[in-house]
Amino acid sequence: MQARLKRTANIDDLRAMAKRRLPRMVFDYIDGAAGDEATARRNRGAFERLLLRQDILVNLSVRELGTTLFGDAVSLPIIVGPTGMNGAYWSQGDLCLARAAKAENIPFVMSTAATTGLDALRGAAGPLRWFQLYMLRDRGLAEALLARVYEAGFRVLQLTVDTAVPGRRNRDIRNGFTLPFRWSAGKLADAVSHPRWAMQMLRAGSPTLALFAEAVGPVPKGATISDVMQQQINDAFVWEDLDWLRQCWKGKLMLKGVASAEHARRAHAAGADGVVVSNHGGRQLDGTASTIECLPAIVAEAAGRYPVLVDSGFRSGTEIAKAIALGADAVQLGRATLYGLAAGGEAGARHALRILADEFDRALALTGATSISELRGRVENVAR
């Protein structure tokens, strides 16, 4: 496994390795997006319209890649973002990702849709552990969950605000991707043709939404992921309700799914301590702008008063450098680390992070910058 990982040069290589290892229905759950997947493609294509500017004859012998987020020093402007169903890609996938983030001294964000329980995750994650919340219909259950999360040492909460109604993901519908796995002759044949994955799942058992079950009770069997989420997510939570959440949560609060300066302004006015510019990797509303297109206006609105993070579509350190140059404080990763996880577990996730760190370091240096602050502004948009 280690030898195969070492031969992977970039995240696309890890994606290819993950595709070979996983059955189609599982790979498509990582790789797919909503509708015709136009937003997912736009997330990727928008990076090409941004060009980094270079300086030359600069002393680059000492470079600093680290930064601070909510007062905590981190080694890179990178966060392992919240993703669900990670146990379907590798046994104890959430723990693998948490350990990888801890090893690289960067934050890990636990998802409400995690396939491991809160206590196990707390034991695996480092001190930079954050939590992502899908607002539950039952406020009492939500408040109890948040109390447990805070008691477990999670100090930053990301409320996802772009998933009141789950996106329609055609690949999952076609593949019949359900909880727990529901097998047909075709899916069994596909699983058998991926023996390493199949043997691991036989030993570990079918993944479940363990944290969801801890919070709200047993998850309905035979339901798609979207079905489960739709039954439990509060689709009537509005701006005025943020005051209730602000009172419940003692730590830092971020809104994840912000895509306009107006919404960033309202979030800050409502007591949010920061925002995540996100379109859920194109997995929610299809046909929207890319996050890198939305980023500059939101950075301008924030004007350094609160952190602005960004996710969706990032697969190289150069793309991360472009976001930092545009003013983002850090980039959250989704599929990039999941491809590494699916390819090689914790070692694969760490390999993905190291690839991105090396690419980011080289992009930083080749622009003539020696720190994140020097990288600011070294980018131009050629789309006219």
Side-chain angles (χ1 to χ4, degrees):
M1 176 65 70
Q2 290 288 353
R4 290 196 296 273
L5 286 173
K6 287 181 180 179
R7 291 195 294 270
T8 56
N10 58 18
I11 299 301
D12 283 343
D13 287 350
L14 288 173
R15 178 183 180 275
M17 193 171 172
K19 188 174 184 179
R20 289 192 297 270
R21 181 180 171 273
L22 297 177
R24 178 176 177 177
M25 70 172 181
V26 180
F27 177 77
D28 277 355
Y29 184 71
I30 298 178
D31 201 57
D36 294 328
E37 306 191 357
T39 295
R41 291 193 298 273
R42 190 175 182 94
N43 281 338
R44 298 290 306 132
F47 291 114
E48 296 184 3
R49 298 189 289 274
L50 293 170
L51 303 181
L52 291 168
R53 290 199 299 267
Q54 292 182 274
D55 199 359
I56 59 173
L57 297 178
V58 176
N59 183 350
L60 301 169
S61 59
V62 178
R63 301 189 295 280
E64 175 54 60
L65 304 183
T67 187
T68 59
L69 295 171
F70 294 118
D72 292 321
V74 299
S75 297
L76 294 159
I78 293 173
I79 298 162
V80 177
T83 51
M85 285 300 294
N86 295 329
Y89 322 136
W90 196 276
S91 178
Q92 301 295 322
D94 296 288
L95 305 187
C96 293
L97 289 171
R99 292 182 187 122
K102 178 182 178 181
E104 301 303 320
N105 190 41
I106 60 175
F108 168 80
V109 190
M110 184 182 193
S111 170
T112 304
T115 54
T116 190
L118 187 62
D119 290 340
L121 196 286
R122 175 180 58 181
L128 299 171
R129 53 187 185 270
W130 299 3
F131 188 81
Q132 173 270 335
L133 176 70
Y134 289 117
M135 180 52 63
L136 303 177
R137 291 180 182 271
D138 187 320
R139 285 197 181 184
L141 293 176
E143 190 168 359
L145 174 60
L146 290 175
R148 288 187 60 218
V149 167
Y150 190 81
E151 182 64 26
F154 294 77
R155 291 297 180 263
V156 178
L157 177 70
Q158 293 186 356
L159 172 69
T160 296
V161 295
D162 63 354
T163 317
V165 176
R168 185 176 175 86
R169 299 169 194 166
N170 293 335
R171 292 202 220 181
D172 295 344
I173 294 170
R174 295 185 187 111
N175 292 332
F177 189 67
T178 61
L179 289 174
F181 296 149
R182 187 165 52 199
W183 297 104
S184 64
K187 285 192 280 189
L188 280 171
D190 193 15
V192 169
S193 69
H194 297 83
R196 290 187 179 90
W197 178 87
M199 290 302 298
Q200 191 180 74
M201 289 301 111
L202 280 173
R203 290 192 295 268
S206 181
T208 62
L209 296 178
L211 183 61
F212 232 79
E214 288 181 1
V216 303
V219 175
K221 293 184 178 181
T224 66
I225 309 300
S226 292
D227 290 339
V228 172
M229 303 306 287
Q230 187 147 14
Q231 291 175 28
Q232 299 296 344
I233 291 176
N234 187 340
D235 58 3
F237 195 83
V238 297
W239 284 103
E240 290 73 18
D241 295 317
L242 285 175
D243 183 62
W244 170 83
L245 181 61
R246 182 68 279 181
Q247 296 301 316
C248 287
W249 179 251
K250 300 176 184 178
K252 299 296 184 182
L253 173 64
M254 308 191 79
L255 297 196
K256 179 180 180 294
V258 172
S260 73
E262 177 191 355
H263 289 163
R265 187 181 309 115
R266 291 190 70 178
H268 183 59
D273 300 294
V275 297
V276 185
V277 184
S278 175
N279 58 32
H280 223 96
R283 293 166 69 83
Q284 286 303 107
L285 178 61
D286 198 24
T288 64
S290 72
T291 55
I292 203 75
E293 291 171 314
C294 299
L295 179 62
I298 295 171
V299 167
E301 199 292 315
R305 293 173 298 154
Y306 51 87
V308 175
L309 313 182
V310 62
D311 67 24
S312 301
F314 290 85
R315 299 211 191 151
S316 77
T318 301
E319 292 165 356
I320 292 170
K322 290 176 180 180
I324 300 302
L326 285 173
D329 291 282
V331 170
Q332 287 197 167
L333 302 174
R335 291 182 182 91
T337 42
L338 292 184
Y339 293 140
L341 173 69
E346 181 181 342
R350 288 193 67 179
H351 186 57
L353 291 173
R354 288 170 178 169
I355 287 173
L356 294 168
D358 183 70
E359 291 174 340
F360 176 72
D361 180 35
R362 292 171 190 269
L364 180 88
L366 291 172
T367 64
T370 61
S371 66
I372 286 173
S373 61
E374 288 187 7
L375 183 58
R376 302 293 192 198
R378 299 191 184 208
V379 64
E380 60 184 275
N381 193 330
V382 295
R384 293 292 186 267

